[in-house]
Amino acid sequence: MIISTFLGNNGKKYELTRHNLPWMMLTYLSFYHSLRWSEKFKGEYSKFGNPELLILKPRIFMNNSGESVVSAMSFFKLKPADLLVIHDDLELPFGTVQLKKGGGAGGHNGLRSIIRQTGSSDFFRFRLGISRPPAGRDVSSWVLSRFSSDEEAILPDYLRKAAELYEQVLAGGLKPEAKIKLFEPRD
């Protein structure tokens, strides 16, 4: 079993922010509408497919995501090598996706919480690029802001292509790949 954890912040005011890009992508999965959700592990989860995939959506603040992840991993007797975390990443340009295994938190509080709670950084990450903030802009306010109008114009295509890539990764097994640029930023 693989556990795919889609990070985001709970609450209407965060719904369309950069930090919630993984939750937005989740709705673009080809099997999303067939998922049956249950509440547990400080979030929502659903099982899908064969081999079985556990999809977890922590419903607590990003900074505490590890609590939800560890609870689900303990219940299903999973180890960090069985974990795939889908998260926003400001080190990647908007429109870029990368599958990576291991590494640090890179300033991402959700990853930091998962690393702290699991005691390991040896898990897969499906990184969704949101770009760095413009000079002088605070990182916290950046990740909690909405996308620009230019970004919003291509956001549905970005999410669709990222979801397709995620499904291809699952179908082919988890193997770290190079960064894939899905879209070039507009000038």
Side-chain angles (χ1 to χ4, degrees), residues 4 10 24 39 46 48 53 56 64 70 75 101 108 112 130 138 141 148 162 168 171 179 181:
S4 274
N10 204 26
M24 291 179 219
E39 288 188 33
S46 184
F48 181 79
L53 170 66
L56 178 66
N64 299 319
V70 164
F75 184 84
K101 186 172 184 189
H108 195 290
R112 182 175 291 123
I130 61 169
D138 176 63
S141 69
S148 71
Q168 290 170 15
K179 295 176 190 168
K181 185 75 171 173

Side-chain angles (χ1 to χ4, degrees), residues 134-147:
R137 179 102 188 249
D138 176 63
V139 169
S140 294
S141 69
W142 177 252
V143 299
L144 296 176
S145 70
R146 289 185 64 145
F147 293 95

Side-chain angles (χ1 to χ4, degrees), residues 7-165:
L7 297 185
N9 273 318
N10 204 26
K12 189 84 170 148
K13 74 179 190 174
Y14 300 110
E15 196 171 85
L16 300 174
T17 65
R18 295 171 190 279
H19 239 355
N20 278 30
L21 190 60
W23 285 9
M24 291 179 219
M25 187 194 99
L26 179 61
T27 65
Y28 281 78
L29 298 177
S30 66
F31 54 85
Y32 177 74
H33 295 289
S34 65
L35 296 174
R36 303 274 185 248
W37 295 95
S38 299
E39 288 188 33
K40 195 171 183 166
F41 316 121
K42 297 184 180 183
E44 295 175 299
Y45 79 98
S46 184
K47 293 181 189 175
F48 181 79
N50 189 15
E52 206 164 48
L53 170 66
L54 177 72
I55 296 178
L56 178 66
K57 189 176 175 183
R59 285 291 194 175
I60 53 181
F61 283 106
M62 182 77 71
N63 299 357
N64 299 319
S65 298
E67 295 172 21
S68 177
V69 172
V70 164
S71 180
M73 288 175 66
S74 295
F75 184 84
F76 290 104
K77 298 176 180 30
L78 300 172
K79 52 193 179 305
D82 302 320
L83 176 61
L84 171 60
V85 178
I86 299 84
H87 66 91
D88 63 296
D89 197 310
L90 52 78
E91 296 302 330
L92 294 177
F94 179 80
T96 304
V97 174
Q98 182 186 34
L99 180 65
K100 176 182 175 184
K101 186 172 184 189
H108 195 290
N109 289 329
L111 289 177
R112 182 175 291 123
S113 174
I114 292 168
I115 291 168
R116 184 177 59 246
Q117 293 286 325
T118 63
S120 175
S121 63
D122 193 30
F123 53 86
F124 287 93
R125 298 114 191 271
F126 191 87
R127 303 167 66 203
L128 299 168
I130 61 169
S131 299
R132 289 201 64 72
R137 179 102 188 249
D138 176 63
V139 169
S140 294
S141 69
W142 177 252
V143 299
L144 296 176
S145 70
R146 289 185 64 145
F147 293 95
S148 71
S149 57
D150 284 345
E151 290 168 329
E152 283 189 4
I154 61 172
L155 189 57
D157 285 335
Y158 177 18
L159 293 169
R160 182 180 48 75
K161 288 183 178 185
E164 289 170 2
L165 187 60

